[in-house]
Amino acid sequence: MQKHNLLAKKIKRQILSINDSIENYFNKIKLLIIKIKKSKFDKDNKVILGSAILVLFILCYFLIPTIYDKDLISAKIKNQISNRYNIEIKFNDKIYYSLLPKPSFISKNISIIQNKKIIGNVKNFKIYISVKDLFSFKKFDTKDIVFEKADFDLKRKDLIFFNKLLDIQPSKNKIIIRNSNIFFRDNNDEILFLNKIYNSKLYYDSKNLKNVFVSKNEVFNVPYKITLQNDKFRKLFTSEFSSKKIRLNLENEIDYTNLEKKMGIFEILFINKNTSLNYIINKNNLVFNSKDNKDNFEGFFDFKPFYLSMNVAYDGLSLKNLFNESSIIIDLIKTELLNNENLNAKIALDIKNIINIDELKDLSLIITLEEGNINVSDSSIMWKDDLKIN
């Protein structure tokens, strides 16, 4: 009986001790609240506290995508890219969320697929996301896409990939390609040429209602810039090519109302001379001729296999400008473009009234390019009025 009373008293003391601890804890909280109420924050403290709370709220909001299911995000991104650009991609690595510099999802290895065939591998992939309605996964929306360090392996039939990009529906979003390569192959899988892409951008020009592709590239050691524009409403496709190294500028406009026989106009700035060409694109070739009656260009391209035949007639050309150290001919030789084994061509230049050199009159230059070899046989030049040198 005595032991029972001792045990009861001991339990009672422990309960009272716990009650005292709880009471003291809440009393401290009560005193803290009273102290906060009695204290007076100055304006600076209020601003700092409000700013800290705002920053914390914003940070929590932007970090919401980190809790999304990554498999669902991957599927959502693939569907939106497919619907918007008609591009099929495959994630070969994990996808990560990045807050800076702008909210985006990134992956280190993706494949670009066309007709069940991989035509491109991208080492660095990034897609920016809309910051609206991050609380709702159903409203998740993607924005600009960046392909960096991509290798495209294309044949002629695979070029439809870029054609489809210029045929997309109007969008506020962009596709950016940086530090990438295009390996263009023939039907035997031999590399015809390598085109380096330094920086390119595809976007919709809402002011002029055109899809626009702008790209800085290099091919055959020749840096160049190209701008492509597709006006779907007027059925007009325009392109601009410029290369300071070889001082060549090309402007093209083509009407594709008739898909079987496309007609266009080609403007050439060549050795400080402007020339306009009319051309017709058929299924297997391109036929062209100049609009200028004085300086004449005419010829054709065969697409299968690639072959160029061109006749050029010039009146009043300076050979000093043509063959000096800064001329287009010298620049072409330095680029080794003419040594490419896949370039086959026959170019005939008929130059009348050579200026700056009194002794030389007319030049007939026939250049044949075949499997990397350059041949100038059957060429001739007039020395004064009575001597022809073959």
Side-chain angles (χ1 to χ4, degrees):
M1 186 68 178
Q2 189 175 1
K3 290 183 179 180
H4 178 73
N5 291 334
L6 290 173
L7 180 61
K9 288 179 180 180
K10 187 175 181 180
I11 293 173
K12 185 178 180 180
R13 283 198 300 267
Q14 289 179 346
I15 292 173
L16 290 173
S17 176
I18 293 171
N19 286 337
D20 290 340
S21 299
I22 294 173
E23 186 176 355
N24 289 334
Y25 177 76
F26 280 103
N27 284 336
K28 289 180 181 179
I29 293 177
K30 185 177 179 180
L31 290 172
L32 179 62
I33 293 172
I34 293 171
K35 187 176 179 180
I36 291 174
K37 286 182 178 181
K38 288 182 178 181
S39 65
K40 294 182 179 180
F41 284 103
D42 57 24
K43 292 182 178 180
D44 292 338
N45 288 335
K46 290 180 180 179
V47 170
I48 293 172
L49 180 61
S51 299
I53 294 173
L54 180 61
V55 169
L56 182 62
F57 176 78
I58 293 174
L59 184 61
C60 291
Y61 178 78
F62 281 107
L63 289 175
I64 288 176
T66 59
I67 65 175
Y68 291 163
D69 184 284
K70 296 302 185 291
D71 291 333
L72 293 178
I73 282 292
S74 300
K76 196 101 169 178
I77 290 173
K78 288 195 289 186
N79 288 336
Q80 291 193 8
I81 291 177
S82 177
N83 294 332
R84 191 174 294 161
Y85 304 109
N86 200 18
I87 298 176
E88 182 182 354
I89 67 170
K90 176 185 176 184
F91 289 99
N92 302 315
D93 204 344
K94 294 180 180 179
I95 190 168
Y96 300 93
Y97 176 70
S98 174
L99 179 58
L100 298 174
K102 292 190 295 184
S104 60
F105 281 96
I106 60 176
S107 182
K108 290 296 182 182
N109 183 13
I110 74 163
S111 298
I112 299 176
I113 302 170
Q114 180 173 269
N115 297 326
K116 299 181 180 180
K117 170 190 172 186
I118 295 176
I119 62 169
N121 290 295
V122 185
K123 291 183 180 178
N124 295 325
F125 169 81
K126 179 183 290 187
I127 186 164
Y128 295 100
I129 63 174
S130 174
V131 296
K132 296 180 180 179
D133 301 315
L134 289 181
F135 288 113
S136 174
F137 179 76
K138 292 182 179 179
K139 296 182 179 180
F140 173 82
D141 189 30
T142 57
K143 298 179 69 178
D144 299 344
I145 300 174
V146 178
F147 297 117
E148 191 168 9
K149 295 184 179 179
D151 287 331
F152 294 93
D153 208 333
L154 306 177
K155 294 182 179 179
R156 183 171 176 265
K157 62 181 180 180
D158 300 320
L159 290 176
I160 191 174
F161 170 78
F162 291 98
N163 292 339
K164 288 191 296 185
L165 290 181
L166 285 165
D167 199 38
I168 61 175
Q169 295 300 314
S171 172
K172 294 181 180 180
N173 305 312
K174 300 185 289 288
I175 293 180
I176 298 168
I177 304 174
R178 298 186 187 130
N179 302 322
S180 300
N181 300 305
I182 298 177
F183 297 91
F184 193 78
R185 299 178 182 271
D186 61 15
N187 291 331
N188 296 320
D189 285 332
E190 301 236 349
I191 297 177
L192 295 176
F193 61 84
L194 167 64
N195 184 91
K196 297 180 181 179
I197 302 176
Y198 294 123
N199 193 12
S200 65
K201 178 172 64 175
L202 173 75
Y203 64 95
Y204 180 74
D205 184 350
S206 58
K207 184 178 180 180
N208 297 305
L209 306 179
K210 297 177 181 179
N211 287 325
V212 181
F213 179 75
V214 182
S215 184
K216 293 182 179 180
N217 311 268
E218 180 181 302
V219 64
F220 298 124
N221 298 321
V222 178
Y224 70 93
K225 179 182 178 180
I226 189 168
T227 302
L228 308 176
Q229 301 182 64
N230 184 22
D231 188 335
K232 296 172 65 176
F233 299 100
R234 296 195 298 157
K235 302 293 184 183
L236 284 177
F237 184 89
T238 60
S239 62
E240 298 179 17
F241 171 97
S242 61
S243 175
K244 292 182 179 179
K245 184 169 185 178
I246 58 176
R247 288 184 295 286
L248 179 64
N249 291 278
L250 308 173
E251 293 184 8
N252 172 53
E253 181 179 280
I254 182 169
D255 184 342
Y256 59 90
T257 305
N258 184 351
L259 296 177
E260 296 295 325
K261 193 175 183 180
K262 304 172 185 176
M263 303 179 67
I265 301 175
F266 206 44
E267 299 285 342
I268 303 175
L269 179 59
F270 177 72
I271 316 179
N272 297 324
K273 277 198 171 187
N274 282 313
T275 303
S276 296
L277 298 177
N278 290 324
Y279 66 89
I280 299 173
I281 299 179
N282 299 302
K283 184 177 180 180
N284 296 316
N285 60 33
L286 180 150
V287 181
F288 61 90
N289 61 77
S290 68
K291 297 169 63 177
D292 194 334
N293 294 325
K294 184 178 180 181
D295 297 323
N296 181 54
F297 288 77
E298 62 178 10
F300 64 89
F301 286 100
D302 274 340
F303 301 139
K304 292 183 179 181
F306 178 82
Y307 181 79
L308 166 65
S309 176
M310 181 168 67
N311 297 317
V312 180
Y314 257 92
D315 190 359
L317 182 66
S318 171
L319 284 188
K320 286 184 178 180
N321 294 334
L322 190 63
F323 292 106
N324 63 27
E325 291 185 2
S326 60
S327 74
I328 186 173
I329 297 296
I330 300 301
D331 283 340
L332 279 173
I333 293 173
K334 288 180 179 179
T335 62
E336 300 183 4
L337 170 63
L338 303 179
N339 300 106
N340 189 280
E341 294 184 358
N342 298 294
L343 179 62
N344 296 296
K346 184 174 182 180
I347 304 171
L349 294 101
D350 187 12
I351 303 172
K352 302 292 184 183
N353 300 321
I354 298 173
I355 60 176
N356 295 334
I357 301 179
D358 294 336
E359 291 79 7
L360 299 179
K361 298 298 179 182
D362 301 334
L363 171 65
S364 175
L365 182 61
I366 300 176
I367 304 173
T368 303
L369 307 176
E370 187 173 1
E371 296 182 353
N373 296 316
I374 304 174
N375 193 329
V376 292
S377 298
D378 299 323
S379 300
S380 65
I381 190 169
M382 288 296 299
W383 182 271
K384 296 185 178 181
D385 293 325
D386 53 0
L387 179 61
K388 182 177 182 181
I389 302 173
N390 293 318

mmCIF file of all heavy atoms in Angstrom, residues 333-366:
data_model
loop_
_atom_site.group_PDB
_atom_site.id
_atom_site.type_symbol
_atom_site.label_atom_id
_atom_site.label_comp_id
_atom_site.label_asym_id
_atom_site.label_seq_id
_atom_site.Cartn_x
_atom_site.Cartn_y
_atom_site.Cartn_z
ATOM 1 N N ILE A 333 40.581 29.934 -104.993
ATOM 2 C CA ILE A 333 41.681 28.960 -104.982
ATOM 3 C C ILE A 333 42.137 28.690 -103.552
ATOM 4 O O ILE A 333 42.378 27.546 -103.158
ATOM 5 C CB ILE A 333 42.856 29.472 -105.838
ATOM 6 C CG1 ILE A 333 42.429 29.520 -107.316
ATOM 7 C CG2 ILE A 333 44.085 28.591 -105.665
ATOM 8 C CD1 ILE A 333 43.457 30.176 -108.226
ATOM 9 N N LYS A 334 42.207 29.746 -102.737
ATOM 10 C CA LYS A 334 42.647 29.587 -101.348
ATOM 11 C C LYS A 334 41.663 28.745 -100.539
ATOM 12 O O LYS A 334 42.054 28.014 -99.629
ATOM 13 C CB LYS A 334 42.812 30.960 -100.701
ATOM 14 C CG LYS A 334 44.029 31.739 -101.199
ATOM 15 C CD LYS A 334 44.114 33.093 -100.501
ATOM 16 C CE LYS A 334 45.323 33.879 -100.971
ATOM 17 N NZ LYS A 334 45.403 35.218 -100.304
ATOM 18 N N THR A 335 40.389 28.854 -100.822
ATOM 19 C CA THR A 335 39.392 28.096 -100.061
ATOM 20 C C THR A 335 39.411 26.610 -100.400
ATOM 21 O O THR A 335 38.812 25.810 -99.684
ATOM 22 C CB THR A 335 37.980 28.623 -100.342
ATOM 23 O OG1 THR A 335 37.662 28.445 -101.727
ATOM 24 C CG2 THR A 335 37.848 30.088 -99.975
ATOM 25 N N GLU A 336 40.068 26.211 -101.498
ATOM 26 C CA GLU A 336 40.120 24.825 -101.966
ATOM 27 C C GLU A 336 38.752 24.297 -102.381
ATOM 28 O O GLU A 336 38.544 23.100 -102.491
ATOM 29 C CB GLU A 336 40.724 23.903 -100.893
ATOM 30 C CG GLU A 336 42.137 24.287 -100.505
ATOM 31 C CD GLU A 336 42.754 23.332 -99.489
ATOM 32 O OE1 GLU A 336 42.100 22.330 -99.157
ATOM 33 O OE2 GLU A 336 43.879 23.584 -99.034
ATOM 34 N N LEU A 337 37.826 25.216 -102.631
ATOM 35 C CA LEU A 337 36.497 24.811 -103.101
ATOM 36 C C LEU A 337 36.598 24.072 -104.427
ATOM 37 O O LEU A 337 35.907 23.070 -104.648
ATOM 38 C CB LEU A 337 35.606 26.054 -103.248
ATOM 39 C CG LEU A 337 34.259 25.869 -103.947
ATOM 40 C CD1 LEU A 337 33.385 24.918 -103.145
ATOM 41 C CD2 LEU A 337 33.555 27.208 -104.131
ATOM 42 N N LEU A 338 37.486 24.549 -105.310
ATOM 43 C CA LEU A 338 37.589 23.945 -106.643
ATOM 44 C C LEU A 338 38.246 22.572 -106.614
ATOM 45 O O LEU A 338 38.198 21.849 -107.612
ATOM 46 C CB LEU A 338 38.380 24.881 -107.576
ATOM 47 C CG LEU A 338 37.815 26.303 -107.725
ATOM 48 C CD1 LEU A 338 38.686 27.132 -108.649
ATOM 49 C CD2 LEU A 338 36.385 26.257 -108.248
ATOM 50 N N ASN A 339 38.854 22.188 -105.495
ATOM 51 C CA ASN A 339 39.496 20.876 -105.383
ATOM 52 C C ASN A 339 38.568 19.798 -104.852
ATOM 53 O O ASN A 339 38.986 18.654 -104.686
ATOM 54 C CB ASN A 339 40.730 20.969 -104.478
ATOM 55 C CG ASN A 339 41.773 21.941 -104.998
ATOM 56 O OD1 ASN A 339 41.913 23.023 -104.457
ATOM 57 N ND2 ASN A 339 42.472 21.583 -106.053
ATOM 58 N N ASN A 340 37.313 20.161 -104.580
ATOM 59 C CA ASN A 340 36.388 19.176 -104.022
ATOM 60 C C ASN A 340 36.054 18.113 -105.062
ATOM 61 O O ASN A 340 35.654 18.415 -106.191
ATOM 62 C CB ASN A 340 35.094 19.889 -103.565
ATOM 63 C CG ASN A 340 34.193 18.963 -102.797
ATOM 64 O OD1 ASN A 340 33.482 18.161 -103.379
ATOM 65 N ND2 ASN A 340 34.227 19.075 -101.487
ATOM 66 N N GLU A 341 36.203 16.840 -104.675
ATOM 67 C CA GLU A 341 36.011 15.739 -105.614
ATOM 68 C C GLU A 341 34.561 15.556 -106.042
ATOM 69 O O GLU A 341 34.283 14.907 -107.038
ATOM 70 C CB GLU A 341 36.537 14.431 -105.001
ATOM 71 C CG GLU A 341 38.043 14.426 -104.783
ATOM 72 C CD GLU A 341 38.546 13.102 -104.260
ATOM 73 O OE1 GLU A 341 37.697 12.213 -104.029
ATOM 74 O OE2 GLU A 341 39.765 12.951 -104.100
ATOM 75 N N ASN A 342 33.647 16.134 -105.264
ATOM 76 C CA ASN A 342 32.233 15.973 -105.593
ATOM 77 C C ASN A 342 31.683 17.125 -106.427
ATOM 78 O O ASN A 342 30.495 17.161 -106.717
ATOM 79 C CB ASN A 342 31.423 15.856 -104.296
ATOM 80 C CG ASN A 342 31.813 14.643 -103.481
ATOM 81 O OD1 ASN A 342 31.612 13.517 -103.896
ATOM 82 N ND2 ASN A 342 32.397 14.884 -102.317
ATOM 83 N N LEU A 343 32.559 18.053 -106.792
ATOM 84 C CA LEU A 343 32.147 19.188 -107.609
ATOM 85 C C LEU A 343 32.550 18.933 -109.050
ATOM 86 O O LEU A 343 33.725 18.848 -109.382
ATOM 87 C CB LEU A 343 32.798 20.473 -107.084
ATOM 88 C CG LEU A 343 32.474 21.761 -107.848
ATOM 89 C CD1 LEU A 343 30.986 22.065 -107.781
ATOM 90 C CD2 LEU A 343 33.273 22.936 -107.290
ATOM 91 N N ASN A 344 31.564 18.787 -109.920
ATOM 92 C CA ASN A 344 31.811 18.577 -111.348
ATOM 93 C C ASN A 344 31.144 19.703 -112.125
ATOM 94 O O ASN A 344 29.950 19.977 -111.938
ATOM 95 C CB ASN A 344 31.243 17.232 -111.810
ATOM 96 C CG ASN A 344 31.944 16.069 -111.120
ATOM 97 O OD1 ASN A 344 33.130 15.847 -111.301
ATOM 98 N ND2 ASN A 344 31.204 15.331 -110.305
ATOM 99 N N ALA A 345 31.922 20.344 -112.983
ATOM 100 C CA ALA A 345 31.378 21.506 -113.683
ATOM 101 C C ALA A 345 32.182 21.794 -114.947
ATOM 102 O O ALA A 345 33.342 21.386 -115.089
ATOM 103 C CB ALA A 345 31.391 22.729 -112.775
ATOM 104 N N LYS A 346 31.528 22.511 -115.866
ATOM 105 C CA LYS A 346 32.192 23.060 -117.040
ATOM 106 C C LYS A 346 31.730 24.498 -117.195
ATOM 107 O O LYS A 346 30.538 24.766 -117.398
ATOM 108 C CB LYS A 346 31.858 22.252 -118.296
ATOM 109 C CG LYS A 346 32.619 22.737 -119.534
ATOM 110 C CD LYS A 346 32.380 21.845 -120.732
ATOM 111 C CE LYS A 346 33.202 22.325 -121.938
ATOM 112 N NZ LYS A 346 32.978 21.453 -123.123
ATOM 113 N N ILE A 347 32.673 25.418 -117.057
ATOM 114 C CA ILE A 347 32.358 26.843 -117.086
ATOM 115 C C ILE A 347 33.121 27.490 -118.234
ATOM 116 O O ILE A 347 34.351 27.382 -118.323
ATOM 117 C CB ILE A 347 32.745 27.521 -115.761
ATOM 118 C CG1 ILE A 347 32.052 26.819 -114.590
ATOM 119 C CG2 ILE A 347 32.400 29.007 -115.776
ATOM 120 C CD1 ILE A 347 32.523 27.267 -113.236
ATOM 121 N N ALA A 348 32.397 28.149 -119.110
ATOM 122 C CA ALA A 348 32.995 28.828 -120.256
ATOM 123 C C ALA A 348 32.834 30.332 -120.083
ATOM 124 O O ALA A 348 31.720 30.840 -119.985
ATOM 125 C CB ALA A 348 32.333 28.363 -121.551
ATOM 126 N N LEU A 349 33.968 31.060 -120.031
ATOM 127 C CA LEU A 349 33.952 32.506 -119.911
ATOM 128 C C LEU A 349 34.404 33.133 -121.226
ATOM 129 O O LEU A 349 35.507 32.837 -121.710
ATOM 130 C CB LEU A 349 34.865 32.979 -118.776
ATOM 131 C CG LEU A 349 34.451 32.598 -117.356
ATOM 132 C CD1 LEU A 349 35.281 31.411 -116.868
ATOM 133 C CD2 LEU A 349 34.628 33.771 -116.425
ATOM 134 N N ASP A 350 33.566 33.968 -121.763
ATOM 135 C CA ASP A 350 33.871 34.680 -123.002
ATOM 136 C C ASP A 350 33.933 36.168 -122.663
ATOM 137 O O ASP A 350 32.897 36.828 -122.500
ATOM 138 C CB ASP A 350 32.798 34.406 -124.051
ATOM 139 C CG ASP A 350 33.159 34.996 -125.404
ATOM 140 O OD1 ASP A 350 34.331 35.401 -125.572
ATOM 141 O OD2 ASP A 350 32.277 35.077 -126.270
ATOM 142 N N ILE A 351 35.168 36.698 -122.528
ATOM 143 C CA ILE A 351 35.362 38.075 -122.075
ATOM 144 C C ILE A 351 35.833 38.934 -123.235
ATOM 145 O O ILE A 351 36.885 38.678 -123.831
ATOM 146 C CB ILE A 351 36.373 38.121 -120.916
ATOM 147 C CG1 ILE A 351 35.896 37.216 -119.766
ATOM 148 C CG2 ILE A 351 36.572 39.548 -120.420
ATOM 149 C CD1 ILE A 351 36.907 37.051 -118.661
ATOM 150 N N LYS A 352 35.069 39.963 -123.555
ATOM 151 C CA LYS A 352 35.405 40.897 -124.632
ATOM 152 C C LYS A 352 35.937 42.197 -124.042
ATOM 153 O O LYS A 352 35.533 42.611 -122.964
ATOM 154 C CB LYS A 352 34.166 41.196 -125.469
ATOM 155 C CG LYS A 352 33.510 39.975 -126.101
ATOM 156 C CD LYS A 352 34.380 39.360 -127.180
ATOM 157 C CE LYS A 352 33.669 38.205 -127.879
ATOM 158 N NZ LYS A 352 34.533 37.546 -128.893
ATOM 159 N N ASN A 353 36.871 42.808 -124.798
ATOM 160 C CA ASN A 353 37.373 44.139 -124.424
ATOM 161 C C ASN A 353 37.952 44.161 -123.012
ATOM 162 O O ASN A 353 37.433 44.805 -122.103
ATOM 163 C CB ASN A 353 36.261 45.189 -124.535
ATOM 164 C CG ASN A 353 35.714 45.282 -125.949
ATOM 165 O OD1 ASN A 353 36.468 45.208 -126.914
ATOM 166 N ND2 ASN A 353 34.400 45.420 -126.061
ATOM 167 N N ILE A 354 39.046 43.404 -122.840
ATOM 168 C CA ILE A 354 39.747 43.420 -121.563
ATOM 169 C C ILE A 354 40.354 44.799 -121.343
ATOM 170 O O ILE A 354 41.029 45.333 -122.220
ATOM 171 C CB ILE A 354 40.842 42.340 -121.530
ATOM 172 C CG1 ILE A 354 40.206 40.951 -121.675
ATOM 173 C CG2 ILE A 354 41.653 42.419 -120.241
ATOM 174 C CD1 ILE A 354 41.217 39.836 -121.811
ATOM 175 N N ILE A 355 40.101 45.373 -120.185
ATOM 176 C CA ILE A 355 40.600 46.721 -119.915
ATOM 177 C C ILE A 355 41.803 46.661 -118.988
ATOM 178 O O ILE A 355 42.084 45.639 -118.358
ATOM 179 C CB ILE A 355 39.487 47.606 -119.306
ATOM 180 C CG1 ILE A 355 38.974 46.998 -117.986
ATOM 181 C CG2 ILE A 355 38.331 47.771 -120.273
ATOM 182 C CD1 ILE A 355 37.948 47.856 -117.290
ATOM 183 N N ASN A 356 42.543 47.757 -118.917
ATOM 184 C CA ASN A 356 43.730 47.934 -118.071
ATOM 185 C C ASN A 356 44.964 47.211 -118.602
ATOM 186 O O ASN A 356 46.055 47.421 -118.083
ATOM 187 C CB ASN A 356 43.482 47.482 -116.627
ATOM 188 C CG ASN A 356 42.436 48.337 -115.930
ATOM 189 O OD1 ASN A 356 42.249 49.498 -116.300
ATOM 190 N ND2 ASN A 356 41.753 47.773 -114.949
ATOM 191 N N ILE A 357 44.823 46.349 -119.577
ATOM 192 C CA ILE A 357 45.979 45.699 -120.211
ATOM 193 C C ILE A 357 45.828 45.910 -121.714
ATOM 194 O O ILE A 357 45.004 45.271 -122.371
ATOM 195 C CB ILE A 357 46.047 44.191 -119.874
ATOM 196 C CG1 ILE A 357 46.133 43.988 -118.351
ATOM 197 C CG2 ILE A 357 47.250 43.553 -120.550
ATOM 198 C CD1 ILE A 357 46.187 42.544 -117.924
ATOM 199 N N ASP A 358 46.631 46.794 -122.281
ATOM 200 C CA ASP A 358 46.450 47.206 -123.677
ATOM 201 C C ASP A 358 46.693 46.070 -124.660
ATOM 202 O O ASP A 358 46.053 45.991 -125.715
ATOM 203 C CB ASP A 358 47.399 48.367 -124.009
ATOM 204 C CG ASP A 358 47.054 49.631 -123.218
ATOM 205 O OD1 ASP A 358 45.872 49.748 -122.802
ATOM 206 O OD2 ASP A 358 47.955 50.452 -122.998
ATOM 207 N N GLU A 359 47.646 45.181 -124.343
ATOM 208 C CA GLU A 359 48.006 44.147 -125.305
ATOM 209 C C GLU A 359 46.954 43.041 -125.419
ATOM 210 O O GLU A 359 46.845 42.387 -126.464
ATOM 211 C CB GLU A 359 49.357 43.528 -124.920
ATOM 212 C CG GLU A 359 50.564 44.443 -125.077
ATOM 213 C CD GLU A 359 50.684 45.419 -123.913
ATOM 214 O OE1 GLU A 359 49.904 45.262 -122.948
ATOM 215 O OE2 GLU A 359 51.543 46.326 -123.968
ATOM 216 N N LEU A 360 46.220 42.794 -124.363
ATOM 217 C CA LEU A 360 45.247 41.710 -124.381
ATOM 218 C C LEU A 360 43.876 42.242 -124.793
ATOM 219 O O LEU A 360 43.438 43.287 -124.310
ATOM 220 C CB LEU A 360 45.148 41.042 -123.011
ATOM 221 C CG LEU A 360 46.437 40.385 -122.483
ATOM 222 C CD1 LEU A 360 46.200 39.796 -121.108
ATOM 223 C CD2 LEU A 360 46.932 39.315 -123.456
ATOM 224 N N LYS A 361 43.203 41.469 -125.639
ATOM 225 C CA LYS A 361 41.901 41.919 -126.151
ATOM 226 C C LYS A 361 40.755 41.040 -125.643
ATOM 227 O O LYS A 361 39.960 41.446 -124.829
ATOM 228 C CB LYS A 361 41.933 41.926 -127.696
ATOM 229 C CG LYS A 361 42.966 42.879 -128.279
ATOM 230 C CD LYS A 361 42.674 44.320 -127.882
ATOM 231 C CE LYS A 361 43.707 45.279 -128.448
ATOM 232 N NZ LYS A 361 43.473 46.676 -128.034
ATOM 233 N N ASP A 362 40.692 39.835 -126.155
ATOM 234 C CA ASP A 362 39.576 38.936 -125.817
ATOM 235 C C ASP A 362 40.108 37.676 -125.141
ATOM 236 O O ASP A 362 41.187 37.183 -125.474
ATOM 237 C CB ASP A 362 38.799 38.546 -127.075
ATOM 238 C CG ASP A 362 38.229 39.760 -127.793
ATOM 239 O OD1 ASP A 362 38.003 40.773 -127.099
ATOM 240 O OD2 ASP A 362 38.018 39.687 -129.009
ATOM 241 N N LEU A 363 39.313 37.153 -124.201
ATOM 242 C CA LEU A 363 39.706 35.941 -123.479
ATOM 243 C C LEU A 363 38.586 34.921 -123.566
ATOM 244 O O LEU A 363 37.434 35.210 -123.257
ATOM 245 C CB LEU A 363 39.996 36.251 -122.004
ATOM 246 C CG LEU A 363 40.211 35.040 -121.083
ATOM 247 C CD1 LEU A 363 41.477 34.272 -121.474
ATOM 248 C CD2 LEU A 363 40.302 35.481 -119.620
ATOM 249 N N SER A 364 38.928 33.711 -124.008
ATOM 250 C CA SER A 364 38.000 32.594 -123.985
ATOM 251 C C SER A 364 38.573 31.553 -123.033
ATOM 252 O O SER A 364 39.550 30.866 -123.355
ATOM 253 C CB SER A 364 37.839 31.991 -125.393
ATOM 254 O OG SER A 364 37.024 30.846 -125.339
ATOM 255 N N LEU A 365 37.968 31.470 -121.859
ATOM 256 C CA LEU A 365 38.492 30.591 -120.821
ATOM 257 C C LEU A 365 37.477 29.484 -120.539
ATOM 258 O O LEU A 365 36.337 29.750 -120.161
ATOM 259 C CB LEU A 365 38.757 31.393 -119.538
ATOM 260 C CG LEU A 365 39.362 30.634 -118.357
ATOM 261 C CD1 LEU A 365 40.726 30.056 -118.720
ATOM 262 C CD2 LEU A 365 39.471 31.541 -117.132
ATOM 263 N N ILE A 366 37.897 28.244 -120.737
ATOM 264 C CA ILE A 366 37.037 27.090 -120.489
ATOM 265 C C ILE A 366 37.616 26.307 -119.320
ATOM 266 O O ILE A 366 38.719 25.755 -119.416
ATOM 267 C CB ILE A 366 36.925 26.189 -121.736
ATOM 268 C CG1 ILE A 366 36.325 26.988 -122.898
ATOM 269 C CG2 ILE A 366 36.071 24.962 -121.426
ATOM 270 C CD1 ILE A 366 36.273 26.220 -124.200
#
